[in-house]
Amino acid sequence: MKSFFKVRTVEEVLAIIGGFSPLEAESAALSDAYGRVTAEDVRAPEDVPLFDRSTMDGYAVRAADTFGATEGLPALFELIGEVSMGRSPDFELRPGQTARIWTGGMLPPGADAVVMLEYSRPVDSVTVELARPVAPWENIIRAAEDVAEGQILIPHGRRLRAQDLGLLAALGLGRVNVVRTPRVAIISTGDEIVPVEASLQPGQMRDVNSYTLAGLVRAAHAEPRLTGLIRDDPAALKKAVSQALDSSDVVIISGGSSVGMRDFTVEVFGSFPDSEILVHGVSVSPGKPTIMARVGRKVLWGLPGHTVSAMITCDLFVRPLLSRLSGKKNSGTGWGKTVGAVLARNVPSVHGRQDYVRVRLEENGDGSLSAIPLLGKSGLISTMVKADGLVCVGLNEEGLAKGVQVEVALF
């Protein structure tokens, strides 16, 4: 029987992942840039806004002229015009004068505030009463108040959010330099695996891993490519991996990574020129027989065939790698948000490995959360559906006791 090459800890695998460099940069249209990572600092080419503008419908005034105005003793103003939307005013306010202005309108020269419409009362066609005082620059966004020319708007390595795209649009930047999206080929292996549409025969199982792994890859802002099913045949597997390497940055094989006479993954990975086996076994459960290899700048993963193991190891290792390749500086693990909860019952573990326990969250009467372990073998996809997240039992812990506070990594 084969032995594992060298079982590594989770931290050691993540350290290896941290040594990979981002993919090359490319220019992307704003419509295609959501979720992409900036390849350089983005600086403002101009001020935003370019002019002082109103945040209210109302009347542009000189703030000093409104001092002392009340409902009982409003101030009278000469109405000299209206600010047209999208145009520069062709007049200047002098003491005692006002102009009608709309939200977003450009403040006319001489004005330094806006009185809201509800505090106004027309007297005649050229006179208006304003019944509330305003301070200088009240109800105004000043030029460059939002963004100043030359300011770093978005730093290098930021994953672009909706608000980031809005800011770039406000500055007239229709394109942005981002890191290329990683392309990920997904191969499912096993003589017993059949397409999802197939009618099952005795001994067969439908292909689950292609779709769960593709979902996790999409969640990592990468592009999954389902390459089909491969039987337990070294020649067929090598051909599939070779074709996948030609068009993808990362290749994931699910199945064929455990010790056994039909497990050809390591041999196939090692058969490529300049290949290097980086990981063959991780001190984690589920997912110990995980394999990681490098072929040039391409990365090969051999994940366990059991669906729970494949999903957990993909989240633990593949998603941080994809984050790294896409330009993120600190990838961490695939999980983001965590919540605190009280463990509902004892969880046993084995010293020397990191256990990930599926849990369901339940709200208690006092607003706190209980984490209820979901027991089940690593081939049971329903346990992942019922679970809200995972609790980690540390490498040197021999289980967790009922009632302890735990951090739940949410799916």
Side-chain angles (χ1 to χ4, degrees), residues 65-342:
D65 294 343
T66 67
F67 293 168
T70 64
E71 285 284 348
L73 190 61
L76 290 174
F77 285 82
E78 177 189 0
L79 182 62
I80 64 169
E82 181 176 322
V83 176
S84 299
M85 292 298 294
R87 295 186 180 182
S88 177
D90 57 1
F91 53 84
E92 179 179 352
L93 291 190
R94 300 188 181 281
Q97 294 180 334
T98 188
R100 188 76 168 84
I101 194 169
W102 306 95
T103 301
M106 182 175 179
L107 206 65
D112 62 359
V114 170
V115 176
M116 294 169 62
L117 187 63
E118 47 263 48
Y119 298 110
S120 67
R121 193 162 50 243
V123 176
D124 53 40
S125 60
V126 294
T127 309
V128 64
E129 291 181 345
L130 300 179
R132 184 183 182 278
V134 285
W137 308 114
E138 188 172 343
N139 300 324
I140 298 294
I141 292 180
R142 303 199 65 181
E145 183 177 334
D146 201 0
V147 174
E149 181 180 355
Q151 175 185 349
I152 294 179
L153 305 174
I154 303 171
H156 173 214
R158 161 80 65 81
R159 194 175 294 284
L160 292 169
R161 305 162 297 173
Q163 56 266 44
D164 301 321
L165 301 182
L167 181 56
L168 296 176
L171 286 156
L173 298 174
R175 304 189 70 84
V176 59
N177 285 333
V178 294
V179 178
R180 181 170 63 78
T181 299
R183 297 185 288 264
V184 183
I186 299 174
I187 303 171
S188 285
T189 67
D191 292 340
E192 76 282 11
I193 305 301
V194 297
V196 295
E197 302 87 357
S199 297
L200 292 181
Q201 301 300 315
Q204 293 181 337
M205 298 177 60
R206 293 191 179 94
D207 178 23
V208 172
N209 289 351
S210 289
Y211 301 95
T212 55
L213 296 176
L216 293 174
V217 167
R218 286 193 182 93
H221 302 278
E223 177 188 334
R225 298 179 174 185
L226 302 187
T227 61
L229 304 177
I230 302 297
R231 300 185 69 82
D232 289 326
D233 174 12
L237 181 59
K238 181 169 182 178
K239 180 180 178 181
V241 173
S242 180
Q243 292 174 342
L245 284 171
D246 288 338
S247 59
S248 302
D249 306 293
V250 177
V251 179
I252 300 175
I253 297 175
S254 66
S257 61
S258 61
V259 177
M261 60 185 301
R262 284 183 175 266
D263 300 326
F264 313 115
T265 305
V266 171
E267 286 81 358
V268 169
F269 285 179
S271 67
F272 291 96
D274 301 322
S275 65
E276 180 185 5
I277 305 298
L278 301 175
V279 176
H280 188 189
V282 186
S283 54
V284 64
S285 177
K288 181 179 180 181
T290 296
I291 303 166
M292 179 186 187
R294 179 204 294 267
V295 178
R297 293 195 64 192
K298 307 293 181 78
V299 183
L300 303 171
W301 287 98
L303 303 185
H306 288 315
T307 185
V308 175
S309 301
M311 290 187 69
I312 289 177
T313 50
C314 184
D315 250 334
L316 264 177
F317 305 124
V318 181
R319 286 181 66 181
L321 172 72
L322 297 179
S323 183
R324 184 76 179 170
L325 295 180
S326 68
K328 287 291 289 179
K329 295 178 180 177
N330 298 314
S331 54
T333 62
W335 296 295
K337 186 177 180 182
T338 63
V339 297
V342 176

